[in-house]
């Protein structure tokens, strides 16, 4: 007697198991979320060197590709591919090391000199700023009265804060600073390990990519696997185009700022230019984050130079936002201004500075995925996907929907036929 299992009961059993597992997971997540959070943090701490290696390999990959294809391979055609790759990796590491050394060798002495000058001359700057404010208030009695009232009102609050809150916590602040320094040393060690890992990743990147594609095609249908590969390629293009373009744009802005501030005689030109160029990597808010502390530094030395500096920064950011930025970045993210601000605000609140830098390309990928799903659902309902059809009329007529869907289906069939022909 043959024993046959009905597939219907198997599906019911699998469904019941998944529902029960989802219920248990939801309960544990709801009432034991702290344990999950601690586990994720422990996992992140263990895998940090690997993540650093992946990020460093991703950032050095364009340099490696250029070095291998344009320099090493044309000169060493007879060598084995592995030998060419090893030579290219050595040259890439050498180029990165020389670039970093040249940058820090040129910038750090100037930064140290500027910071040291600020520390030693800080009382003089405060005195100059006080005299300037006093002169301004003497010429404007109304403003002087208002400022005096504000100072009288909040001076007692400030004194109370310093005596009762800030000073008793000095030991705690020193202890936290020591812990932060130890954490910084640990972070540097993880970066060193990550750099070693990145060398191995670059050396076998084609094998890793092939293994990843093999896994995707093994677990998914061919059509779904092709869609996954296509989405990964889109994500790569979005990230590489935005991040590389933004770094180049920020370097150019930093150099222009240094030339302009040097010609104007702005105090601490190198320090100010480094701040402006570095914060320019952050979209939209970056220029303001860099300009405010820089303007304050200049204000302490020379208020009139501060005015010139602010005007120069406004002109520079207009040039960057309207000419240089679009020229370098183009429409790499496909997001409007509103979604750029939204993504920066959201991801900066979740992940801090890193979220402000990577939030725009991450949200661009999410935006593209949502758009693709919405268009797919509209096609399934035989509705048009063009936004213009939803702006003109309050309702979508069936004839317009049918014609739009037929046209899109025809275009998709033609595209598929071209790919099959290739």
């Amino acid at each position: 007697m043959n024993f046959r299992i009905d597939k219907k009961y198997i599906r019911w059993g699998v469904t019941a198991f998944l529902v029960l597992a989802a219920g248990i997971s939801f309960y544990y997540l709801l009432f034991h979320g702290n344990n999950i959070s601690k586990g994720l943090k422990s996992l992140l701490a263990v895998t940090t060197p690997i993540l650093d290696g992946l990020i460093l390999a991703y950032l050095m990959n364009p340099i490696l590709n250029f070095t291998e294809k344009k320099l090493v391979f044309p000169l060493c055609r007879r060598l084995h591919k592995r030998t060419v790759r090893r030579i290219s990796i050595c040259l890439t590491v050498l180029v990165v090391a020389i670039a970093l050394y040249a940058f820090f060798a040129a910038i750090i002495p100037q930064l140290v000199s500027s910071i040291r000058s600020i520390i030693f001359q800080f009382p003089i700057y405060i005195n100059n700023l006080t005299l300037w404010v006093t002169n301004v208030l003497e010429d404007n009695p109304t403003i002087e009265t208002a400022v005096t009232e504000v100072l009288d009102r909040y001076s007692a609050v400030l004194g109370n804060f310093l005596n009762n809150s800030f000073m008793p916590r000095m030991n705690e602040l020193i202890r936290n600073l020591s812990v932060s320094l130890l954490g910084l040393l640990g972070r540097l060690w993880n970066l060193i390990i990550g750099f070693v890992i990145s060398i191995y990743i670059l050396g076998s990147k084609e094998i890793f990519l092939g293994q990843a594609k093999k896994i995707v095609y093994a677990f998914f249908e061919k059509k779904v696997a092709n869609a996954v590969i296509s989405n990964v390629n889109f994500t790569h293009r979005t990230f590489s185009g935005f991040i590389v373009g933004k770094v180049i744009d920020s370097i150019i802005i930093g150099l222009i700022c240094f030339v302009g501030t040097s010609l104007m005689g702005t105090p601490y030109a190198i320090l100010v230019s480094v701040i402006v160029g570095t914060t320019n990597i952050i979209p939209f808010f970056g220029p303001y984050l860099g300009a405010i502390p820089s303007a304050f530094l200049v204000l302490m030395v020379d208020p009139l130079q501060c005015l010139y500096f602010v005007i120069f920064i406004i002109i520079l950011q207009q040039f960057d936002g309207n000419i240089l930025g679009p020229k370098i970045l183009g429409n790499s993210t496909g997001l409007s201004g509103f979604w750029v601000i939204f993504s920066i605000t959201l991801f900066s609140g979740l992940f801090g500075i890193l979220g402000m830098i990577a939030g725009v390309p991450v949200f661009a990928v999410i935006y593209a995925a949502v758009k693709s799903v919405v268009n797919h659902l509209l096609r399934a309902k035989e509705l048009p996907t063009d936004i213009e059809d939803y702006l003109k009329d309050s309702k979508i007529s069936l004839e317009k929907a049918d014609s739009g869907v037929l046209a899109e289906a025809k275009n998709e069939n033609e595209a598929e036929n071209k790919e099959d022909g290739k």
Side-chain angles (χ1 to χ4, degrees), residues 94-362:
L94 183 62
V95 168
V96 172
I98 292 175
L100 291 176
Y101 175 78
F103 174 77
F104 288 115
I107 297 300
I108 287 182
Q110 298 293 330
L111 292 180
V112 171
S113 177
S114 299
I115 294 173
R116 184 181 299 171
S117 175
I118 291 173
I119 292 174
F120 286 118
Q121 300 185 23
F122 188 76
I124 299 175
Y125 296 153
I126 293 296
N127 185 46
N128 293 337
L129 184 61
T130 303
L131 292 176
W132 179 75
V133 172
T134 302
N135 293 331
V136 171
L137 294 179
E138 287 180 353
D139 297 334
N140 299 274
T142 305
I143 299 178
E144 181 181 9
T145 303
V147 171
T148 303
E149 291 178 356
V150 171
L151 291 176
D152 293 339
R153 183 182 307 168
Y154 291 101
S155 60
V157 177
L158 179 61
N160 185 42
F161 169 77
L162 293 175
N163 294 326
N164 299 329
S165 299
F166 182 76
M167 295 304 294
R169 295 182 180 178
M170 284 297 295
N171 293 331
E172 182 180 354
L173 292 175
I174 295 174
R175 184 169 59 254
N176 292 335
L177 180 61
S178 302
V179 173
S180 300
L181 290 176
L182 293 176
L184 179 61
L185 293 176
R187 182 63 181 158
L188 291 175
W189 177 247
N190 287 335
L191 281 176
I192 294 174
I193 299 176
F195 179 77
V196 176
I197 293 174
S198 69
I199 300 300
Y200 285 95
I201 294 174
L202 291 174
S204 305
K205 60 178 183 176
E206 289 84 3
I207 296 176
F208 292 141
L209 290 175
Q211 290 173 342
K213 291 177 67 175
K214 184 179 178 180
I215 293 173
V216 171
Y217 281 103
F219 281 91
F220 298 100
E221 296 292 333
K222 183 178 179 181
K223 186 176 181 180
V224 177
N226 288 334
V228 172
I229 299 300
S230 177
N231 291 330
V232 171
N233 290 332
F234 170 77
T235 303
H236 166 66
R237 290 194 304 271
T238 301
F239 268 87
S240 60
F242 179 82
I243 293 176
V244 174
K246 199 62 181 172
V247 169
I248 295 174
D249 174 68
S250 299
I251 292 174
I252 295 175
I253 288 298
L255 293 175
I256 295 175
C257 183
F258 173 68
V259 173
T261 51
S262 299
L263 294 175
M264 292 190 303
T266 305
Y268 310 117
I270 291 183
L271 178 61
V272 166
S273 301
V274 170
I275 294 174
V276 171
T278 303
T279 56
N280 194 71
I281 297 177
I282 301 173
F284 192 79
F285 295 110
Y288 304 102
L289 294 176
I292 292 173
S294 301
F296 180 73
L297 289 176
V298 179
L299 176 65
M300 290 192 301
V301 181
D302 190 340
L304 188 59
Q305 279 290 341
C306 177
L307 177 62
Y308 296 154
F309 173 75
V310 170
I311 296 174
F312 171 74
I313 288 297
I314 292 174
I315 296 173
L316 180 61
Q317 295 306 326
Q318 291 299 316
F319 166 75
D320 181 36
N322 298 315
I323 299 176
L324 182 63
K327 206 74 174 178
I328 296 176
L329 296 174
N331 194 21
S332 58
T333 60
L335 298 177
S336 63
F338 169 78
W339 291 118
V340 170
I341 299 174
F342 176 83
S343 60
I344 295 172
T345 305
L346 176 63
F347 285 94
S348 64
L350 295 175
F351 305 106
I353 298 296
L354 181 61
M356 296 183 75
I357 297 174
V360 173
V362 168

